[in-house]
Amino acid sequence: MNRSDILYWLCENRPEKLPKLWQWANRVRRENAGGEIHLRGLIEISNHCVRQCAYCGLRHDNRNLERYRMNKMEIMESVRKAVHLGFGTIVLQAGEDPGITSEWMADLIRRIKSETSLAVALNLGERNERELAIWRQAGADRYLLRFESSNQKLYQKYHPARPFQTGDRFDLLRVLKKLRYEVGSGIMIGLPGQTFDSLIRDIQLLKELELDMVAVGPYIINPETPLGKSWAEHLARPEFQVPNSDEMAYKTMAVTRIICPLSNIPVTTATASVGGRDGLEVGLGRGANVFMPNLTPANYRCKYRIYPSKSRFSVDDFDSLSHLRFRIKKLGRRLGEGRGDSKRYVAEIKRSIFQELIS
Ligand code: 5AD
């Protein structure tokens, strides 16, 4: 897909035309990522955050949020639940929380890796190279860091830098690659001020970065944030502004699947939140092959409020898991077994082993 193809599909709104895009994405997914749907158990280990992202409910200055940080015992309990339910991966997610120190986290990762055969994915914000290396050494397999928008002006407007720090997420993504993590990134769709032009550039970058995991989700207005209070003032001219609708998120996801055929692509929580009751099925039929049910204990889950009406889809017992299995079977798909590494990563590892053998 070139630039004008991407633009064509992003702007296509005729209901009789869109099924062609959905079928295309679904076919590319089937032929490249396969028929399996991989589940990742999501554990939101802390909602503390030092950052001030203008759209996010976890931002430091949001005083309407009771903060928590799970202790290791609580986290291990959720980890065991993931094993018990047959998940192959857990995602440990938090705000950018300096209370999560490199040693504390490394110890937790080592504990998980020695007690289970789970793949461990981290989503802990911008951390420095030393910490990322320690966690990789401790056994972490994957790291997720969305760049959100590649438009510098837009990015800087909504993501104030920390004092005396220049966090460049593209630099960090390169560091993660160098450390041989499986690397995930992603973007937000429909941020006020985001133009089609800049969204196309974002999508092309998702390809150029050779990512193993790509997450796209719509911007959801959070009235407890500065952007949520004034979003209308920041919109681009109507003909240029990308809408933050569920349909726009699905179109972006479908296009992303077509241009990143081997990557793992989740139905993001944001998409499931705006996509209604069958948002999961719809997403899985338009290019996605991953879903991340929430395993955070209920008393904490309700406090991880990045935006209102966050999808509460959780799978914390066998009943809800078999219900999910039933929904997936109805789609003619099946749950994946094992870690569900990205096909791109597996191919790269095979290539490098081969290179070593012949050199
Ligand atoms: N709408 C949609 N996604 C959001 N995130 C944070 N706030 C919002 C919002 N208001 C997403 C960002 C971030 C992840 C933690 O949650 O993509 O990377």
Side-chain angles (χ1 to χ4, degrees), residues 131-241:
E131 297 173 301
L132 296 171
I134 291 172
W135 297 339
R136 179 77 181 115
Q137 184 75 30
D141 301 275
R142 307 180 186 145
Y143 203 96
L144 312 164
L145 182 70
R146 296 192 188 186
F147 64 81
E148 310 292 6
S149 166
S150 61
N151 180 309
Q152 285 271 354
K153 250 169 103 180
L154 198 65
Y155 184 85
Q156 283 165 4
K157 182 170 167 191
Y158 296 144
H159 304 84
R162 291 161 295 177
F164 312 113
Q165 305 237 11
T166 48
D168 183 318
R169 293 196 175 188
F170 293 103
D171 282 347
L172 277 179
L173 289 169
R174 274 185 284 274
V175 167
L176 291 165
K177 281 256 175 195
K178 192 178 77 186
L179 294 170
R180 297 217 164 193
Y181 277 97
E182 262 183 86
V183 180
S185 192
I187 53 177
M188 230 185 291
I189 317 297
L191 270 171
Q194 184 185 48
T195 60
F196 283 98
D197 213 45
S198 106
L199 178 56
I200 292 171
R201 185 69 201 116
D202 293 346
I203 295 172
Q204 289 174 326
L205 267 170
L206 292 172
K207 165 95 183 157
E208 286 163 29
L209 289 166
E210 304 193 308
L211 298 167
D212 299 296
M213 300 155 290
V214 180
V216 309
Y219 162 61
I220 297 174
I221 296 167
N222 183 343
E224 286 180 350
T225 62
L227 185 60
K229 291 188 174 80
S230 66
W231 59 271
E233 296 162 26
H234 300 279
L235 294 174
R237 289 208 347 233
E239 64 274 34
F240 298 133
Q241 172 67 46

Side-chain angles (χ1 to χ4, degrees), residues 43-57:
I43 311 174
E44 295 155 332
I45 61 177
S46 158
N47 70 352
H48 289 269
C49 191
V50 290
R51 304 303 290 267
Q52 295 287 15
C53 304
Y55 49 80
C56 181

